[in-house]
């Protein structure tokens, strides 16, 4: 099936299709999704390029991982009116 959607021209699952699969799916207890993302971090000193991913609030639970400190994302973080939330690696933190 063609998964084409604005900005998703190839074999990627479009966001609307992911949401449909998540709502209608009965084969899995949960689903998560991600897309690669990077940004420049600015502050004191030289800018730092940070590579990461934008993920759904369910991804950490699906993978069975938890943070060393703080919290991971939840489905509440997926809401359009939710405050931006960031999970960083230990390496970036230090």
């Amino acid at each position: 099936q063609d998964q084409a959607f604005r900005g998703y021209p190839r074999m990627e699952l479009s966001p609307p299709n992911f949401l449909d699969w998540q709502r209608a799916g009965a084969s899995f207890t949960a689903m998560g999704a991600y897309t690669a993302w990077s940004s420049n971090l600015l502050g004191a000193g030289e800018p730092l390029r940070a590579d990461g991913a934008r993920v759904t609030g369910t991804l950490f639970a699906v993978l069975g991982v938890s943070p060393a400190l703080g919290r991971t994302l939840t489905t509440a973080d997926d809401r359009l009116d939710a405050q931006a939330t960031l999970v960083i690696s230990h390496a970036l933190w230090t």
Side-chain angles (χ1 to χ4, degrees), residues 62-73:
V62 167
L63 296 175
V65 296
S66 57
L69 184 66
R71 70 173 183 92
T72 60
L73 304 177

Side-chain angles (χ1 to χ4, degrees), residues 18-19 22 29-33 55-62 71-83 85:
F18 170 77
L19 295 174
Q22 192 177 39
T29 56
M31 293 175 63
V55 305
T56 58
T58 55
L59 188 66
F60 289 98
V62 167
R71 70 173 183 92
T72 60
L73 304 177
T74 68
T75 55
D77 295 306
D78 289 341
R79 292 191 334 253
L80 293 176
D81 62 344
Q83 288 192 355
T85 305

Side-chain angles (χ1 to χ4, degrees), residues 36-42 47-54 86 92:
W37 174 80
S38 62
S39 182
N40 292 322
L41 299 177
L42 305 173
L48 172 67
R49 188 70 176 172
D51 295 319
R54 289 180 170 216
L86 181 68
L92 182 59

